[in-house]
Amino acid sequence: MSNLYDLLEPLKDNPGKTGIFSDLDGTLSEIAPTPADAIITDEMRSIVKDLAEKYAVVGIVSGRDSNEAKKIVGLDNIVYIGNHGLEWLDDGKQFYAPEAFNFFGLASSLAADLVAILNGSDLIVEKKKLGVAIHYRQADDKGLAKASIEQTIKPFLEKYPLKSFEGRYVIELKPDLAVNKGDAVAVVALRRGLMQAIYLGDDITDVDAFKAFKDLRDKGKVETISIGVASDEGDPSIISEADYIVKNVGEVEALLNWLSD
Ligand SMILES: [Mg+2]
């Protein structure tokens, strides 16, 4: 870890040209039993607030709707990137990736259909602006729950331009578009003229951001460092694709606290 802190010294020394990007659930906050229960601690909120005052950009990057992420974090002066990069809130204004506009109606009817089908089960259907997440953390038999979700979404995947992916006890349906967390953070980093940036994340969709950050570094555009948060639930690529690994949300907090100093 001391190695990572040494590497981060130059970012601390030049905050005006540095961006701090982080996933929310499982990175800034412990994963909650249900998505509605997620909170960030007062300590973490205060650290993120300090970071936003010090650094050029603080970006919170989530699969949730950006306004949901903002509600949980409760801070202004942050770029909230939601729906895995398809929309974002910057300076209180809502933006969408142009490709996203065709999907508003579909996302809404899809959620209604899935709620109707899965009503009464121990699955939680999270309706988002641009997709649906089905959470099975609460299911007694997780293997069975996962199989049942896969069965349920199959006809939707066949019928509509959607893709699915698995996260930590969640299966998501989102528009089949080539836009991900990595595209979104790369755009923000380049537009803001950052020289250096870090990204922290704990799940499979964060690996897109790790890859985008590596690409920015390889091309000499931004000095980047990606940091994965280890868990028993995450895909192995989180460990293999990140530049550094921290053990848990506690270590994320320690790192960000040091950066905020
Ligand atoms: Mg996460």
Side-chain angles (χ1 to χ4, degrees), residues 9-22:
E9 279 286 357
L11 283 79
K12 253 186 119 163
D13 293 342
N14 191 7
K17 284 284 176 191
T18 296
I20 311 286
F21 296 89
S22 179

Side-chain angles (χ1 to χ4, degrees), residues 23-29 31 61-63 168 181 200-206:
D23 169 62
L24 177 55
D25 295 86
T27 303
L28 294 182
S29 70
I31 294 267
V61 190
S62 179
R168 296 174 61 177
K181 285 182 170 182
L200 299 117
D202 74 309
D203 211 346
I204 186 83
T205 60
D206 298 307

Side-chain angles (χ1 to χ4, degrees), residues 189-210:
L190 292 173
R191 272 205 197 136
R192 298 289 183 99
L194 300 179
M195 286 169 58
Q196 333 176 81
I198 63 167
Y199 186 93
L200 299 117
D202 74 309
D203 211 346
I204 186 83
T205 60
D206 298 307
V207 173
D208 294 320
F210 298 166

